[in-house]
Amino acid sequence: MIYDLSISVAPEDEKNTSLINRRLFDELRKHASPLPPKEETSFVFVKRSVDARHGRVKIFLKYKAYVGQKPDSPMGKIPEWKQASGDKIVIIVGSGPAGLFAALKLLEHGIKPVIVERGSSTSKRKRDIACISTKGNVDENSNYCFGEGGAGTFSDGKLYTRSNKRGDIGSVLQLFAYFGADEKILTDAHPHIGTDRLPSIINKMCGLIREKGGEVLFDTKCTELITDENGSRKTVRGIKIQNTLTEETAELYGDKVILATGHSAYDIYTMIADAAPQALEAKTIAVGVRVEHPREVIDSIQYHDKNAAEKLGAAEYRVTTQQDGRGVYSFCMCPGGFVVPSASAPDEIVVNGMSAAKRNSAWSNAAIVVETRPEDVPDEYVKEAEEKFKCPSLAGLLWRKHLEKLASQNGDGQKAPAQRLTDFLEGKKSADLPKSSYTPGLVSSNLNDWLPHHISDRLKGAFREIDGKMKGYIRNDALMIAIETRTSTPVRILRDKEKLECTAISNLYPAGEGSGYSGGIVSSALDGIKVAEKICNS
């Protein structure tokens, strides 16, 4: 028999195995009568979570009790990947989690994946990213958004998701562990890998794909779909590609094409608009800022004890509220982390957050963003999208680009516009700025002067409400850094609900965050798997 057990302990007792075993047997007694002999019982740790509410920190631990049978392996069953024959080829545009996990699923069926990635391998990409911070130079193809592993590679690899209905979350976590992630990701309630560890894991995934006969083409940009006309519907036969270093062009043919390009590939959306504008629809996005506090401030607010972080690690928080008919919420909270530059072009500023595996920097940050629906986009961008692309669905994309350029105009190179939170609420420019983890540097700017009022006004209301729940959140050394616009894509590439094929273009399979079907590493991986499975069974 297998029983699910849950107990809670104080932080200082988390490593007290004798106490935990006594608690587990006490809990097991409630489920199994009579209590089975100890020698016939095994406990397997399943999940850990922290509850810091009500001024008292508790550690909740979940276990499975195996009575009279052998425990299952926590790693589960790892797939068997076959050597690709090359009889069937699937082109995958993008090497983010959707693309990589799609490729791994295809290899389970012996289908050859060919991954086309406009950015560079992690080794070159590290140098290009360093140039953003040290010189303010943004390589349009190799940056925090583009390159081996996609935008997630140089994030902290947050693996928490509420997308329980999308597929087997555990199988994705198990694969990350198989390729080198700490096995704690299998049991932590909010698992993360760490930006210092994730690149090597991605390298191993790409290495296996190549070992099994797949291809991974870095510095290779998809520039056009190769299609046949079939009445009113087009059918994809392959893609045109260009080497981003040599500018050499070629054509690449395959049986199917998976689009897994992430949320920042503007040219992919315009390429689809050119081929079949009816395949695109506008969707809701979120726009806001990164808010950075000294880590000890958030630790103290959340744990109600400045010393608790020594045992529990940097504190997380999650907030959500409604302001004037729109949601305002935290996103990608980075305890003990850094704010990083995530622009994908030199004339824009975009910020994001990440943490190393130990989450031990002196700061904690989170995006605080405002829900922005298609009807909130100014009419001028709808008109521009219609005139320029014959596709009004691209209006949100154009508006997002406008906001990122505004941030650049109010910054300096990649030095981001920033403001003390207290000054933002008072509507005045900060005379000086506190220290920050953002390495390119900051420029004092009154964000009220250039953020759209429907964003800034809702942020003000949200901050006051957050401070009511997290006393001390509003303070003079809390820093707002602009602008956060890439929580998701403002465009969805439409696909059939059953076939998962693009509604307007045959053999084209939109997948992942960039196509509008996921948000984050795990949900994108699950969507890539789902699309690949559909192709394997077609």
Side-chain angles (χ1 to χ4, degrees):
M1 293 287 291
I2 302 175
Y3 300 93
D4 292 315
L5 307 179
S6 296
I7 62 172
S8 67
V9 297
E12 60 268 22
D13 292 326
E14 188 178 2
K15 304 298 182 182
N16 189 335
T17 54
S18 60
L19 171 67
I20 289 173
N21 278 332
R22 287 199 304 272
R23 294 269 184 90
L24 288 172
F25 273 109
D26 288 343
E27 188 66 21
L28 181 59
R29 186 176 284 110
K30 299 175 185 178
H31 301 273
S33 181
L35 186 68
K38 290 185 178 181
E39 60 271 16
E40 295 181 11
T41 305
S42 299
F43 298 117
V44 174
F45 181 44
V46 175
K47 191 72 69 178
R48 173 189 185 272
S49 60
V50 178
D51 185 352
R53 295 172 297 176
H54 312 303
R56 184 181 177 187
V57 179
K58 293 182 179 180
I59 308 294
F60 284 90
L61 305 173
K62 291 184 178 181
Y63 285 80
K64 283 188 179 295
Y66 291 82
V67 178
Q69 65 183 83
K70 185 178 179 181
D72 295 331
S73 167
M75 278 293 293
K77 185 179 179 181
I78 299 302
E80 295 183 7
W81 295 289
K82 299 177 181 178
Q83 195 70 29
S85 65
D87 293 338
K88 188 174 182 180
I89 296 172
V90 175
I91 299 168
I92 302 173
V93 185
S95 70
L100 290 177
F101 278 78
L104 292 172
K105 176 55 67 173
L106 292 171
L107 285 171
E108 290 182 43
H109 296 261
I111 298 173
K112 179 177 179 176
V114 179
I115 298 176
V116 174
E117 171 56 56
R118 70 188 296 169
S120 302
S121 62
T122 54
S123 57
K124 178 180 181 298
R125 195 176 171 196
K126 286 178 182 177
R127 297 192 296 271
D128 293 333
I129 285 173
C131 284
I132 300 175
S133 293
T134 58
K135 300 178 181 179
N137 295 338
V138 178
D139 185 315
E140 293 191 45
N141 294 304
S142 181
N143 47 58
Y144 275 101
C145 295
F146 302 140
E148 184 175 7
T153 302
F154 292 96
S155 72
D156 58 2
K158 289 182 183 65
L159 302 179
Y160 175 67
T161 179
R162 293 185 296 275
S163 303
N164 296 304
K165 296 181 180 179
R166 293 179 183 268
D168 184 0
I169 293 172
S171 67
V172 172
L173 300 182
Q174 286 163 5
L175 280 180
F176 274 116
Y178 173 81
F179 285 105
D182 193 314
E183 288 190 17
K184 287 195 299 184
I185 66 171
L186 302 177
T187 54
D188 283 351
H190 290 170
H192 86 292
I193 296 174
T195 187
D196 48 339
R197 298 180 180 178
L198 192 52
S200 65
I201 293 167
I202 299 300
N203 294 160
K204 291 175 183 176
M205 286 186 180
C206 289
L208 184 136
I209 290 167
R210 288 193 175 104
E211 178 188 322
K212 294 298 181 180
E215 294 183 45
V216 185
L217 308 177
F218 295 124
D219 306 304
T220 304
K221 186 177 181 180
C222 170
T223 59
E224 189 178 339
L225 299 175
I226 300 173
T227 61
D228 290 341
E229 298 288 345
N230 185 10
S232 60
R233 185 177 174 86
K234 295 182 177 181
T235 300
V236 167
R237 300 301 179 199
I239 62 173
K240 293 183 180 181
I241 58 176
Q242 181 181 48
N243 185 292
T244 59
L245 303 179
T246 66
E247 298 187 353
E248 181 181 358
T249 61
E251 295 183 348
L252 191 62
Y253 290 89
D255 297 279
K256 310 282 185 183
V257 174
I258 297 175
L259 274 185
T261 50
H263 54 44
S264 296
Y266 286 82
D267 49 353
I268 292 296
Y269 301 116
T270 58
M271 178 187 76
I272 297 295
D274 182 61
Q278 70 274 25
L280 301 175
E281 74 171 5
K283 62 179 284 292
T284 295
I285 57 170
V287 175
V289 295
R290 277 272 148 188
V291 179
E292 183 174 65
H293 289 80
R295 173 188 156 183
E296 61 183 14
V297 170
I298 299 300
D299 291 348
S300 180
I301 291 173
Q302 292 299 88
Y303 294 146
H304 310 281
D305 177 359
K306 63 181 181 180
N307 298 317
E310 295 179 9
K311 300 172 183 175
L312 300 174
E316 300 180 54
Y317 69 85
R318 179 174 175 266
V319 292
T320 181
T321 179
Q322 283 285 319
Q323 298 292 323
D324 192 23
R326 295 289 184 269
V328 184
Y329 53 91
S330 59
F331 177 84
C332 185
M333 197 272 148
C334 301
F338 306 88
V339 181
V340 296
S342 291
S344 50
D347 61 345
E348 63 193 28
I349 287 178
V350 183
V351 294
N352 195 5
M354 68 179 188
S355 302
K358 292 184 178 180
R359 291 180 161 176
N360 59 356
S361 89
W363 295 272
S364 291
N365 70 78
I368 304 296
V369 290
V370 179
E371 175 192 8
T372 305
R373 299 174 185 173
E375 59 264 33
D376 299 327
V377 175
D379 290 340
E380 62 188 282
Y381 298 99
V382 179
K383 182 179 179 182
E384 182 183 352
E386 177 63 48
E387 291 177 349
K388 187 179 290 187
F389 302 109
K390 309 297 183 191
C391 184
S393 297
L394 294 181
L397 198 69
L398 298 176
W399 182 64
R400 186 176 77 174
K401 181 70 171 177
H402 164 74
L403 294 176
E404 294 166 357
K405 286 186 175 182
L406 268 181
S408 178
Q409 292 163 13
N410 285 277
D412 180 11
Q414 284 302 301
K415 292 181 179 179
Q419 189 174 15
R420 292 180 185 267
L421 178 51
T422 49
D423 290 337
F424 174 71
L425 294 173
E426 294 176 14
K428 65 180 184 180
K429 183 178 179 180
S430 298
D432 56 12
L433 298 171
K435 289 184 178 180
S436 171
S437 66
Y438 186 76
T439 54
L442 302 172
V443 174
S444 181
S445 171
N446 189 347
L447 305 186
N448 294 281
D449 290 343
W450 59 272
L451 280 179
H453 289 306
H454 69 275
I455 301 295
S456 59
D457 290 348
R458 289 184 171 103
L459 285 175
K460 288 177 181 177
F463 288 138
R464 293 187 176 101
E465 189 169 323
I466 292 168
D467 190 65
K469 300 174 182 177
M470 296 175 63
K471 298 293 186 183
Y473 188 88
I474 295 176
R475 48 188 288 136
N476 195 45
D477 57 0
L479 184 62
M480 298 171 61
I481 306 174
I483 189 170
E484 178 93 27
T485 53
R486 306 271 181 101
T487 63
S488 64
T489 172
V491 188
R492 179 176 287 110
I493 304 173
L494 297 172
R495 68 187 187 190
D496 183 272
K497 290 183 179 180
E498 294 298 323
K499 297 179 180 179
L500 304 184
E501 186 180 48
C502 179
T503 55
I505 306 173
S506 298
N507 288 346
L508 182 68
Y509 291 79
E513 191 167 334
S515 295
Y517 294 98
S518 63
I521 291 175
V522 172
S523 61
S524 295
L526 289 171
D527 198 60
I529 291 169
K530 184 168 71 171
V531 165
E533 284 178 334
K534 191 64 66 172
I535 290 173
C536 293
N537 295 326
S538 64

mmCIF file with all atom_site columns, all heavy atoms in Angstrom, residues 416-436:
data_model
loop_
_atom_site.group_PDB
_atom_site.id
_atom_site.type_symbol
_atom_site.label_atom_id
_atom_site.label_alt_id
_atom_site.label_comp_id
_atom_site.label_asym_id
_atom_site.label_entity_id
_atom_site.label_seq_id
_atom_site.pdbx_PDB_ins_code
_atom_site.Cartn_x
_atom_site.Cartn_y
_atom_site.Cartn_z
_atom_site.occupancy
_atom_site.B_iso_or_equiv
_atom_site.pdbx_formal_charge
_atom_site.auth_seq_id
_atom_site.auth_comp_id
_atom_site.auth_asym_id
_atom_site.auth_atom_id
_atom_site.pdbx_PDB_model_num
ATOM 1   N N   . ALA A 1 416 ? 19.411 51.922 -17.595 1.00 0.00 ? 416 ALA A N   1
ATOM 2   C CA  . ALA A 1 416 ? 17.951 51.922 -17.593 1.00 0.00 ? 416 ALA A CA  1
ATOM 3   C C   . ALA A 1 416 ? 17.383 53.087 -16.782 1.00 0.00 ? 416 ALA A C   1
ATOM 4   O O   . ALA A 1 416 ? 17.960 53.489 -15.771 1.00 0.00 ? 416 ALA A O   1
ATOM 5   C CB  . ALA A 1 416 ? 17.430 50.607 -17.015 1.00 0.00 ? 416 ALA A CB  1
ATOM 6   N N   . PRO A 1 417 ? 16.241 53.634 -17.204 1.00 0.00 ? 417 PRO A N   1
ATOM 7   C CA  . PRO A 1 417 ? 15.556 54.663 -16.409 1.00 0.00 ? 417 PRO A CA  1
ATOM 8   C C   . PRO A 1 417 ? 15.029 54.053 -15.113 1.00 0.00 ? 417 PRO A C   1
ATOM 9   O O   . PRO A 1 417 ? 14.454 52.964 -15.116 1.00 0.00 ? 417 PRO A O   1
ATOM 10  C CB  . PRO A 1 417 ? 14.426 55.127 -17.323 1.00 0.00 ? 417 PRO A CB  1
ATOM 11  C CG  . PRO A 1 417 ? 14.190 53.992 -18.266 1.00 0.00 ? 417 PRO A CG  1
ATOM 12  C CD  . PRO A 1 417 ? 15.517 53.322 -18.445 1.00 0.00 ? 417 PRO A CD  1
ATOM 13  N N   . ALA A 1 418 ? 15.219 54.778 -14.006 1.00 0.00 ? 418 ALA A N   1
ATOM 14  C CA  . ALA A 1 418 ? 14.846 54.227 -12.698 1.00 0.00 ? 418 ALA A CA  1
ATOM 15  C C   . ALA A 1 418 ? 14.403 55.352 -11.765 1.00 0.00 ? 418 ALA A C   1
ATOM 16  O O   . ALA A 1 418 ? 14.702 56.528 -11.983 1.00 0.00 ? 418 ALA A O   1
ATOM 17  C CB  . ALA A 1 418 ? 16.022 53.467 -12.093 1.00 0.00 ? 418 ALA A CB  1
ATOM 18  N N   . GLN A 1 419 ? 13.717 54.961 -10.701 1.00 0.00 ? 419 GLN A N   1
ATOM 19  C CA  . GLN A 1 419 ? 13.154 55.931 -9.759  1.00 0.00 ? 419 GLN A CA  1
ATOM 20  C C   . GLN A 1 419 ? 12.926 55.248 -8.415  1.00 0.00 ? 419 GLN A C   1
ATOM 21  O O   . GLN A 1 419 ? 12.535 54.072 -8.369  1.00 0.00 ? 419 GLN A O   1
ATOM 22  C CB  . GLN A 1 419 ? 11.826 56.468 -10.311 1.00 0.00 ? 419 GLN A CB  1
ATOM 23  C CG  . GLN A 1 419 ? 11.213 57.623 -9.572  1.00 0.00 ? 419 GLN A CG  1
ATOM 24  C CD  . GLN A 1 419 ? 9.984  58.161 -10.305 1.00 0.00 ? 419 GLN A CD  1
ATOM 25  O OE1 . GLN A 1 419 ? 9.433  57.514 -11.203 1.00 0.00 ? 419 GLN A OE1 1
ATOM 26  N NE2 . GLN A 1 419 ? 9.555  59.362 -9.941  1.00 0.00 ? 419 GLN A NE2 1
ATOM 27  N N   . ARG A 1 420 ? 13.178 55.965 -7.346  1.00 0.00 ? 420 ARG A N   1
ATOM 28  C CA  . ARG A 1 420 ? 12.816 55.440 -6.035  1.00 0.00 ? 420 ARG A CA  1
ATOM 29  C C   . ARG A 1 420 ? 11.300 55.262 -5.980  1.00 0.00 ? 420 ARG A C   1
ATOM 30  O O   . ARG A 1 420 ? 10.552 56.102 -6.488  1.00 0.00 ? 420 ARG A O   1
ATOM 31  C CB  . ARG A 1 420 ? 13.279 56.380 -4.927  1.00 0.00 ? 420 ARG A CB  1
ATOM 32  C CG  . ARG A 1 420 ? 14.796 56.463 -4.757  1.00 0.00 ? 420 ARG A CG  1
ATOM 33  C CD  . ARG A 1 420 ? 15.165 57.412 -3.633  1.00 0.00 ? 420 ARG A CD  1
ATOM 34  N NE  . ARG A 1 420 ? 16.602 57.604 -3.529  1.00 0.00 ? 420 ARG A NE  1
ATOM 35  C CZ  . ARG A 1 420 ? 17.413 56.900 -2.745  1.00 0.00 ? 420 ARG A CZ  1
ATOM 36  N NH1 . ARG A 1 420 ? 16.889 55.936 -1.977  1.00 0.00 ? 420 ARG A NH1 1
ATOM 37  N NH2 . ARG A 1 420 ? 18.715 57.121 -2.710  1.00 0.00 ? 420 ARG A NH2 1
ATOM 38  N N   . LEU A 1 421 ? 10.850 54.200 -5.353  1.00 0.00 ? 421 LEU A N   1
ATOM 39  C CA  . LEU A 1 421 ? 9.423  53.918 -5.287  1.00 0.00 ? 421 LEU A CA  1
ATOM 40  C C   . LEU A 1 421 ? 8.669  55.042 -4.578  1.00 0.00 ? 421 LEU A C   1
ATOM 41  O O   . LEU A 1 421 ? 7.571  55.436 -5.007  1.00 0.00 ? 421 LEU A O   1
ATOM 42  C CB  . LEU A 1 421 ? 9.196  52.576 -4.574  1.00 0.00 ? 421 LEU A CB  1
ATOM 43  C CG  . LEU A 1 421 ? 7.761  52.108 -4.357  1.00 0.00 ? 421 LEU A CG  1
ATOM 44  C CD1 . LEU A 1 421 ? 6.952  52.157 -5.642  1.00 0.00 ? 421 LEU A CD1 1
ATOM 45  C CD2 . LEU A 1 421 ? 7.751  50.695 -3.774  1.00 0.00 ? 421 LEU A CD2 1
ATOM 46  N N   . THR A 1 422 ? 9.241  55.583 -3.520  1.00 0.00 ? 422 THR A N   1
ATOM 47  C CA  . THR A 1 422 ? 8.582  56.682 -2.806  1.00 0.00 ? 422 THR A CA  1
ATOM 48  C C   . THR A 1 422 ? 8.443  57.918 -3.690  1.00 0.00 ? 422 THR A C   1
ATOM 49  O O   . THR A 1 422 ? 7.412  58.605 -3.656  1.00 0.00 ? 422 THR A O   1
ATOM 50  C CB  . THR A 1 422 ? 9.379  57.034 -1.539  1.00 0.00 ? 422 THR A CB  1
ATOM 51  O OG1 . THR A 1 422 ? 10.769 57.194 -1.876  1.00 0.00 ? 422 THR A OG1 1
ATOM 52  C CG2 . THR A 1 422 ? 9.243  55.943 -0.488  1.00 0.00 ? 422 THR A CG2 1
ATOM 53  N N   . ASP A 1 423 ? 9.457  58.202 -4.506  1.00 0.00 ? 423 ASP A N   1
ATOM 54  C CA  . ASP A 1 423 ? 9.389  59.363 -5.401  1.00 0.00 ? 423 ASP A CA  1
ATOM 55  C C   . ASP A 1 423 ? 8.368  59.149 -6.506  1.00 0.00 ? 423 ASP A C   1
ATOM 56  O O   . ASP A 1 423 ? 7.684  60.091 -6.934  1.00 0.00 ? 423 ASP A O   1
ATOM 57  C CB  . ASP A 1 423 ? 10.768 59.647 -6.015  1.00 0.00 ? 423 ASP A CB  1
ATOM 58  C CG  . ASP A 1 423 ? 11.763 60.189 -5.002  1.00 0.00 ? 423 ASP A CG  1
ATOM 59  O OD1 . ASP A 1 423 ? 11.315 60.755 -3.984  1.00 0.00 ? 423 ASP A OD1 1
ATOM 60  O OD2 . ASP A 1 423 ? 12.982 60.041 -5.226  1.00 0.00 ? 423 ASP A OD2 1
ATOM 61  N N   . PHE A 1 424 ? 8.258  57.915 -6.994  1.00 0.00 ? 424 PHE A N   1
ATOM 62  C CA  . PHE A 1 424 ? 7.254  57.609 -8.014  1.00 0.00 ? 424 PHE A CA  1
ATOM 63  C C   . PHE A 1 424 ? 5.854  57.920 -7.493  1.00 0.00 ? 424 PHE A C   1
ATOM 64  O O   . PHE A 1 424 ? 5.030  58.520 -8.179  1.00 0.00 ? 424 PHE A O   1
ATOM 65  C CB  . PHE A 1 424 ? 7.357  56.132 -8.419  1.00 0.00 ? 424 PHE A CB  1
ATOM 66  C CG  . PHE A 1 424 ? 6.284  55.668 -9.352  1.00 0.00 ? 424 PHE A CG  1
ATOM 67  C CD1 . PHE A 1 424 ? 6.245  56.081 -10.669 1.00 0.00 ? 424 PHE A CD1 1
ATOM 68  C CD2 . PHE A 1 424 ? 5.293  54.794 -8.905  1.00 0.00 ? 424 PHE A CD2 1
ATOM 69  C CE1 . PHE A 1 424 ? 5.243  55.636 -11.537 1.00 0.00 ? 424 PHE A CE1 1
ATOM 70  C CE2 . PHE A 1 424 ? 4.292  54.352 -9.758  1.00 0.00 ? 424 PHE A CE2 1
ATOM 71  C CZ  . PHE A 1 424 ? 4.274  54.775 -11.080 1.00 0.00 ? 424 PHE A CZ  1
ATOM 72  N N   . LEU A 1 425 ? 5.598  57.505 -6.260  1.00 0.00 ? 425 LEU A N   1
ATOM 73  C CA  . LEU A 1 425 ? 4.281  57.749 -5.680  1.00 0.00 ? 425 LEU A CA  1
ATOM 74  C C   . LEU A 1 425 ? 4.026  59.234 -5.440  1.00 0.00 ? 425 LEU A C   1
ATOM 75  O O   . LEU A 1 425 ? 2.882  59.688 -5.473  1.00 0.00 ? 425 LEU A O   1
ATOM 76  C CB  . LEU A 1 425 ? 4.141  56.968 -4.372  1.00 0.00 ? 425 LEU A CB  1
ATOM 77  C CG  . LEU A 1 425 ? 4.136  55.435 -4.521  1.00 0.00 ? 425 LEU A CG  1
ATOM 78  C CD1 . LEU A 1 425 ? 4.170  54.758 -3.167  1.00 0.00 ? 425 LEU A CD1 1
ATOM 79  C CD2 . LEU A 1 425 ? 2.928  54.956 -5.316  1.00 0.00 ? 425 LEU A CD2 1
ATOM 80  N N   . GLU A 1 426 ? 5.085  59.998 -5.219  1.00 0.00 ? 426 GLU A N   1
ATOM 81  C CA  . GLU A 1 426 ? 4.940  61.437 -5.018  1.00 0.00 ? 426 GLU A CA  1
ATOM 82  C C   . GLU A 1 426 ? 5.019  62.220 -6.325  1.00 0.00 ? 426 GLU A C   1
ATOM 83  O O   . GLU A 1 426 ? 4.798  63.437 -6.341  1.00 0.00 ? 426 GLU A O   1
ATOM 84  C CB  . GLU A 1 426 ? 6.022  61.946 -4.055  1.00 0.00 ? 426 GLU A CB  1
ATOM 85  C CG  . GLU A 1 426 ? 5.876  61.396 -2.640  1.00 0.00 ? 426 GLU A CG  1
ATOM 86  C CD  . GLU A 1 426 ? 7.013  61.837 -1.731  1.00 0.00 ? 426 GLU A CD  1
ATOM 87  O OE1 . GLU A 1 426 ? 7.752  62.773 -2.124  1.00 0.00 ? 426 GLU A OE1 1
ATOM 88  O OE2 . GLU A 1 426 ? 7.159  61.258 -0.642  1.00 0.00 ? 426 GLU A OE2 1
ATOM 89  N N   . GLY A 1 427 ? 5.350  61.534 -7.426  1.00 0.00 ? 427 GLY A N   1
ATOM 90  C CA  . GLY A 1 427 ? 5.379  62.172 -8.742  1.00 0.00 ? 427 GLY A CA  1
ATOM 91  C C   . GLY A 1 427 ? 6.586  63.039 -9.003  1.00 0.00 ? 427 GLY A C   1
ATOM 92  O O   . GLY A 1 427 ? 6.545  63.939 -9.847  1.00 0.00 ? 427 GLY A O   1
ATOM 93  N N   . LYS A 1 428 ? 7.697  62.758 -8.333  1.00 0.00 ? 428 LYS A N   1
ATOM 94  C CA  . LYS A 1 428 ? 8.882  63.592 -8.534  1.00 0.00 ? 428 LYS A CA  1
ATOM 95  C C   . LYS A 1 428 ? 10.086 62.744 -8.938  1.00 0.00 ? 428 LYS A C   1
ATOM 96  O O   . LYS A 1 428 ? 10.199 61.568 -8.574  1.00 0.00 ? 428 LYS A O   1
ATOM 97  C CB  . LYS A 1 428 ? 9.203  64.377 -7.266  1.00 0.00 ? 428 LYS A CB  1
ATOM 98  C CG  . LYS A 1 428 ? 9.614  63.529 -6.073  1.00 0.00 ? 428 LYS A CG  1
ATOM 99  C CD  . LYS A 1 428 ? 9.911  64.397 -4.853  1.00 0.00 ? 428 LYS A CD  1
ATOM 100 C CE  . LYS A 1 428 ? 10.409 63.551 -3.681  1.00 0.00 ? 428 LYS A CE  1
ATOM 101 N NZ  . LYS A 1 428 ? 10.688 64.377 -2.493  1.00 0.00 ? 428 LYS A NZ  1
ATOM 102 N N   . LYS A 1 429 ? 10.986 63.355 -9.685  1.00 0.00 ? 429 LYS A N   1
ATOM 103 C CA  . LYS A 1 429 ? 12.216 62.686 -10.109 1.00 0.00 ? 429 LYS A CA  1
ATOM 104 C C   . LYS A 1 429 ? 13.131 62.484 -8.907  1.00 0.00 ? 429 LYS A C   1
ATOM 105 O O   . LYS A 1 429 ? 13.256 63.364 -8.053  1.00 0.00 ? 429 LYS A O   1
ATOM 106 C CB  . LYS A 1 429 ? 12.916 63.534 -11.167 1.00 0.00 ? 429 LYS A CB  1
ATOM 107 C CG  . LYS A 1 429 ? 14.179 62.917 -11.744 1.00 0.00 ? 429 LYS A CG  1
ATOM 108 C CD  . LYS A 1 429 ? 14.768 63.818 -12.822 1.00 0.00 ? 429 LYS A CD  1
ATOM 109 C CE  . LYS A 1 429 ? 16.053 63.246 -13.410 1.00 0.00 ? 429 LYS A CE  1
ATOM 110 N NZ  . LYS A 1 429 ? 16.610 64.136 -14.457 1.00 0.00 ? 429 LYS A NZ  1
ATOM 111 N N   . SER A 1 430 ? 13.777 61.328 -8.840  1.00 0.00 ? 430 SER A N   1
ATOM 112 C CA  . SER A 1 430 ? 14.672 61.038 -7.720  1.00 0.00 ? 430 SER A CA  1
ATOM 113 C C   . SER A 1 430 ? 15.962 61.840 -7.847  1.00 0.00 ? 430 SER A C   1
ATOM 114 O O   . SER A 1 430 ? 16.601 61.864 -8.916  1.00 0.00 ? 430 SER A O   1
ATOM 115 C CB  . SER A 1 430 ? 15.005 59.543 -7.665  1.00 0.00 ? 430 SER A CB  1
ATOM 116 O OG  . SER A 1 430 ? 13.842 58.775 -7.454  1.00 0.00 ? 430 SER A OG  1
ATOM 117 N N   . ALA A 1 431 ? 16.352 62.499 -6.765  1.00 0.00 ? 431 ALA A N   1
ATOM 118 C CA  . ALA A 1 431 ? 17.597 63.268 -6.762  1.00 0.00 ? 431 ALA A CA  1
ATOM 119 C C   . ALA A 1 431 ? 18.806 62.356 -6.881  1.00 0.00 ? 431 ALA A C   1
ATOM 120 O O   . ALA A 1 431 ? 19.840 62.729 -7.454  1.00 0.00 ? 431 ALA A O   1
ATOM 121 C CB  . ALA A 1 431 ? 17.690 64.104 -5.482  1.00 0.00 ? 431 ALA A CB  1
ATOM 122 N N   . ASP A 1 432 ? 18.709 61.165 -6.329  1.00 0.00 ? 432 ASP A N   1
ATOM 123 C CA  . ASP A 1 432 ? 19.752 60.152 -6.467  1.00 0.00 ? 432 ASP A CA  1
ATOM 124 C C   . ASP A 1 432 ? 19.084 58.785 -6.396  1.00 0.00 ? 432 ASP A C   1
ATOM 125 O O   . ASP A 1 432 ? 17.883 58.682 -6.125  1.00 0.00 ? 432 ASP A O   1
ATOM 126 C CB  . ASP A 1 432 ? 20.826 60.307 -5.392  1.00 0.00 ? 432 ASP A CB  1
ATOM 127 C CG  . ASP A 1 432 ? 20.235 60.255 -3.979  1.00 0.00 ? 432 ASP A CG  1
ATOM 128 O OD1 . ASP A 1 432 ? 19.055 59.875 -3.820  1.00 0.00 ? 432 ASP A OD1 1
ATOM 129 O OD2 . ASP A 1 432 ? 20.948 60.597 -3.021  1.00 0.00 ? 432 ASP A OD2 1
ATOM 130 N N   . LEU A 1 433 ? 19.854 57.749 -6.659  1.00 0.00 ? 433 LEU A N   1
ATOM 131 C CA  . LEU A 1 433 ? 19.304 56.399 -6.688  1.00 0.00 ? 433 LEU A CA  1
ATOM 132 C C   . LEU A 1 433 ? 20.104 55.490 -5.769  1.00 0.00 ? 433 LEU A C   1
ATOM 133 O O   . LEU A 1 433 ? 21.325 55.642 -5.633  1.00 0.00 ? 433 LEU A O   1
ATOM 134 C CB  . LEU A 1 433 ? 19.342 55.838 -8.121  1.00 0.00 ? 433 LEU A CB  1
ATOM 135 C CG  . LEU A 1 433 ? 18.519 56.588 -9.167  1.00 0.00 ? 433 LEU A CG  1
ATOM 136 C CD1 . LEU A 1 433 ? 18.821 56.065 -10.565 1.00 0.00 ? 433 LEU A CD1 1
ATOM 137 C CD2 . LEU A 1 433 ? 17.026 56.483 -8.866  1.00 0.00 ? 433 LEU A CD2 1
ATOM 138 N N   . PRO A 1 434 ? 19.448 54.529 -5.131  1.00 0.00 ? 434 PRO A N   1
ATOM 139 C CA  . PRO A 1 434 ? 20.173 53.579 -4.272  1.00 0.00 ? 434 PRO A CA  1
ATOM 140 C C   . PRO A 1 434 ? 21.004 52.615 -5.109  1.00 0.00 ? 434 PRO A C   1
ATOM 141 O O   . PRO A 1 434 ? 20.858 52.534 -6.332  1.00 0.00 ? 434 PRO A O   1
ATOM 142 C CB  . PRO A 1 434 ? 19.047 52.846 -3.541  1.00 0.00 ? 434 PRO A CB  1
ATOM 143 C CG  . PRO A 1 434 ? 17.885 52.926 -4.462  1.00 0.00 ? 434 PRO A CG  1
ATOM 144 C CD  . PRO A 1 434 ? 17.995 54.261 -5.142  1.00 0.00 ? 434 PRO A CD  1
ATOM 145 N N   . LYS A 1 435 ? 21.889 51.878 -4.446  1.00 0.00 ? 435 LYS A N   1
ATOM 146 C CA  . LYS A 1 435 ? 22.682 50.870 -5.141  1.00 0.00 ? 435 LYS A CA  1
ATOM 147 C C   . LYS A 1 435 ? 21.751 49.815 -5.737  1.00 0.00 ? 435 LYS A C   1
ATOM 148 O O   . LYS A 1 435 ? 20.677 49.538 -5.220  1.00 0.00 ? 435 LYS A O   1
ATOM 149 C CB  . LYS A 1 435 ? 23.665 50.214 -4.173  1.00 0.00 ? 435 LYS A CB  1
ATOM 150 C CG  . LYS A 1 435 ? 24.810 51.126 -3.743  1.00 0.00 ? 435 LYS A CG  1
ATOM 151 C CD  . LYS A 1 435 ? 25.791 50.368 -2.848  1.00 0.00 ? 435 LYS A CD  1
ATOM 152 C CE  . LYS A 1 435 ? 26.959 51.264 -2.459  1.00 0.00 ? 435 LYS A CE  1
ATOM 153 N NZ  . LYS A 1 435 ? 27.937 50.548 -1.589  1.00 0.00 ? 435 LYS A NZ  1
ATOM 154 N N   . SER A 1 436 ? 22.193 49.221 -6.830  1.00 0.00 ? 436 SER A N   1
ATOM 155 C CA  . SER A 1 436 ? 21.357 48.262 -7.549  1.00 0.00 ? 436 SER A CA  1
ATOM 156 C C   . SER A 1 436 ? 22.206 47.127 -8.091  1.00 0.00 ? 436 SER A C   1
ATOM 157 O O   . SER A 1 436 ? 23.419 47.266 -8.311  1.00 0.00 ? 436 SER A O   1
ATOM 158 C CB  . SER A 1 436 ? 20.625 48.967 -8.702  1.00 0.00 ? 436 SER A CB  1
ATOM 159 O OG  . SER A 1 436 ? 19.967 48.038 -9.532  1.00 0.00 ? 436 SER A OG  1
#
